[in-house]
Amino acid sequence: MLHTLSNGLRIVHSYDANTAMVAVNVLYNVGSRDESRHLTGIAHLFEHLMFGGSANVPSFDGALQAAGGKSNAWTGDDFTNFYETLPAANLDTALWLESDRMLAVDLSEHSLEVQRAVVIEEFKQQCLDRPYGDLMHHLRRIAYAESHPYSWPVIGLEPDHIARVTRADAVNWFEGHYAPGNAVLAISGHVDFDTACKAAEEWFADVPARPVAPRAAVNPGFPEADIIETVTGDVPYPLVVVAFPMSSYGTPEYFAADTITDLLAVGRSSRFRTGLVVGEGKGVLSEADASIIGCEMPGLLLLTARVADNDDALISRTRELLIEYARRLAEPGNLSERELRRCLNNFESNFRFSNMDYRSKATNLATAVMHGESLEHDLDVRLALTPADIRKAAADIFVRPSATVVYRPEQ
């Protein structure tokens, strides 16, 4: 059920009698796509700043833990998400904490200094000190136009950008994006709709509406011809990643593309496993995967493989095999109704189980409302897919110019 406050905050609710807990999820319509290339990583930095206290809460985690709760968050290309789980009797504590930081998060110089240091260290650990950690820096750079916000990863281009974020930058980010009208509040668990709405009104109604910074529509600037870039690093084996442009979320091609990656790489009977890892690709590659970077703007379909040896011929053959197996889905009669139904049944099973969990359901509900959809819209669209739909999407996607990164061990 859905309710909207006068300040624009949308509230969605789900009752679950099978738990004594409640999940509170606040999804903001802001992510790294709202950054500029000269100051990247601020969306992720701000996720950390939101835990640094607020006008009436010196310690967010301290107050939540005292109420028996725990929290976490994530930042993506398009959205930033915060969630808490705690006993349903303490729902007011979570709503108090979320409303207070939506009203006035602590953006003092001290809080900014602390969180900058934390995020810079995270950047070093994830991107500089880990094998293949900068893979997405290379892939996104060659797959997108330099001006496009998807041309850098969510964590940012470099630590120096994070170090340069000023208090004025943080204030502008908060005022331009962390407004009630730019958010969805989801409450799922052992609390009824009327109680949830009354509590949300009590805690969020006095948060003033604020204008939201506009988003520019940017041409992705996908490659006009195949690009293959080789990079080296302290990695154990060669990795090949081929990226094909795909349509944005909500389009028919998006759901078909996501299903294509499931057909290729999900489960022991997937095409990559049976045909490449233990089939004709045995001895050439030892692992293969397929996935999407699914976004609100056009994204990427990725074909990934670990090569058996650091050999030029094997690396070249690996790339050929990945593309060849993907393109087979475009051939008439190559995909049976039975194989597609098995894939979609697996997706439906995962979907159903995911929404049995009150915390996951809160996140899924918030995302659905942000998209203006029902919770089951994604599932309904996928279950309606036919082999002809998959064949058409594969025929369209896998003839487009691709961007390939070959990540090799240093010689």
Side-chain angles (χ1 to χ4, degrees):
M1 299 182 73
L2 185 65
H3 177 67
T4 303
L5 302 186
S6 59
N7 57 15
L9 179 66
R10 289 158 288 176
I11 303 164
V12 62
H13 166 268
S14 174
Y15 176 71
D16 187 346
N18 297 313
T19 179
M21 304 290 285
V22 68
V24 172
N25 192 105
V26 181
L27 181 68
Y28 288 92
N29 191 17
V30 59
S32 59
R33 70 176 282 190
D34 298 288
E35 300 168 347
S36 65
R37 190 174 183 85
H38 77 277
L39 196 65
T40 63
I42 189 171
H44 176 239
L45 172 63
F46 209 91
E47 173 202 321
H48 285 255
L49 285 168
M50 288 285 279
F51 289 94
S54 53
N56 302 291
V57 184
S59 172
F60 183 96
D61 285 333
L64 183 63
Q65 289 167 9
K70 57 184 179 180
S71 67
N72 212 331
W74 51 260
T75 307
D77 291 292
D78 306 298
F79 304 125
T80 307
N81 193 60
F82 302 88
Y83 58 89
E84 299 83 44
T85 57
L86 72 171
N90 293 335
L91 170 65
D92 281 326
T93 298
L95 297 181
W96 164 55
L97 294 173
E98 286 289 2
S99 64
D100 204 59
R101 61 182 178 180
M102 182 185 286
L103 173 68
V105 68
D106 180 5
L107 297 177
S108 64
E109 291 289 355
H110 173 72
S111 179
L112 183 57
E113 180 181 0
V114 169
Q115 299 306 331
R116 273 195 305 241
V118 170
V119 174
I120 288 172
E121 184 60 29
E122 183 179 345
F123 188 107
K124 292 176 180 177
Q125 290 178 2
Q126 290 191 5
C127 303
L128 304 181
D129 299 334
R130 194 169 77 176
Y132 315 104
D134 59 349
L135 171 64
M136 281 299 153
H137 286 79
H138 297 290
L139 185 64
R140 285 174 178 258
R141 173 175 50 79
I142 64 174
Y144 284 96
E146 184 177 344
S147 60
H148 198 280
Y150 291 171
S151 68
W152 57 84
V154 172
I155 201 165
L157 278 171
E158 55 185 272
D160 183 60
H161 283 201
I162 299 162
R164 292 207 316 261
V165 175
T166 66
R167 182 177 180 277
D169 294 325
V171 169
N172 288 336
W173 191 265
F174 176 73
E175 292 181 347
H177 302 291
Y178 279 75
N182 205 38
V184 174
L185 166 66
I187 301 172
S188 175
H190 200 98
V191 58
D192 62 67
F193 178 71
D194 290 340
T195 301
C197 286
K198 181 179 179 181
E201 286 273 6
E202 178 180 351
W203 292 109
F204 285 91
D206 62 350
V207 178
R210 295 190 294 270
V212 177
R215 276 176 163 165
V218 185
N219 189 313
F222 289 131
E224 297 181 358
D226 287 347
I227 299 174
I228 302 177
E229 180 168 299
T230 299
V231 297
T232 60
D234 185 13
V235 297
Y237 48 79
L239 194 70
V240 175
V241 184
V242 187
F244 287 91
M246 58 169 279
S247 297
S248 56
Y249 179 84
T251 62
E253 184 183 275
Y254 175 95
F255 299 105
D258 200 16
T259 303
I260 284 172
T261 62
D262 287 352
L263 288 163
L264 292 174
V266 172
R268 296 180 62 84
S269 61
S270 65
R271 293 188 171 212
F272 275 180
R273 176 169 174 77
T274 58
L276 295 181
V277 177
V278 298
E280 64 179 294
K282 188 174 183 180
V284 178
L285 52 87
S286 55
E287 291 180 7
D289 195 12
S291 59
I292 64 168
I293 299 179
C295 305
E296 303 301 289
M297 295 190 287
L300 300 171
L301 189 155
L302 309 182
L303 309 177
T304 306
R306 184 177 81 175
V307 188
D309 193 15
N310 192 21
D311 174 81
D312 291 347
L314 287 182
I315 290 171
S316 178
R317 181 58 179 152
T318 294
R319 182 178 181 275
E320 292 172 358
L321 284 170
L322 288 173
I323 297 173
E324 177 186 335
Y325 266 72
R327 285 178 175 168
R328 287 181 185 178
L329 285 168
E331 298 172 358
N334 185 272
L335 175 64
S336 68
E337 180 72 29
R338 182 175 181 274
E339 182 183 2
L340 177 58
R341 286 307 113 190
R342 183 177 62 205
C343 174
L344 294 176
N345 287 344
N346 182 66
F347 179 87
E348 181 175 14
S349 175
N350 291 334
F351 176 89
R352 300 293 185 196
F353 277 110
S354 170
N355 286 299
M356 288 175 66
D357 172 58
Y358 68 97
R359 195 208 64 76
S360 297
K361 191 168 187 179
T363 301
N364 295 340
L365 280 169
T367 304
V369 171
M370 190 67 79
H371 282 141
E373 301 168 348
S374 69
L375 180 63
E376 302 225 345
H377 175 267
D378 193 345
L379 176 64
D380 292 341
V381 172
R382 290 172 196 266
L383 293 181
L385 289 170
T386 66
D389 296 326
I390 300 300
R391 183 169 64 250
K392 181 182 185 306
D396 290 342
I397 293 170
F398 297 122
V399 297
R400 294 169 185 164
S402 62
T404 300
V405 171
V406 178
Y407 211 128
R408 305 183 68 165
E410 293 174 340
Q411 299 291 338

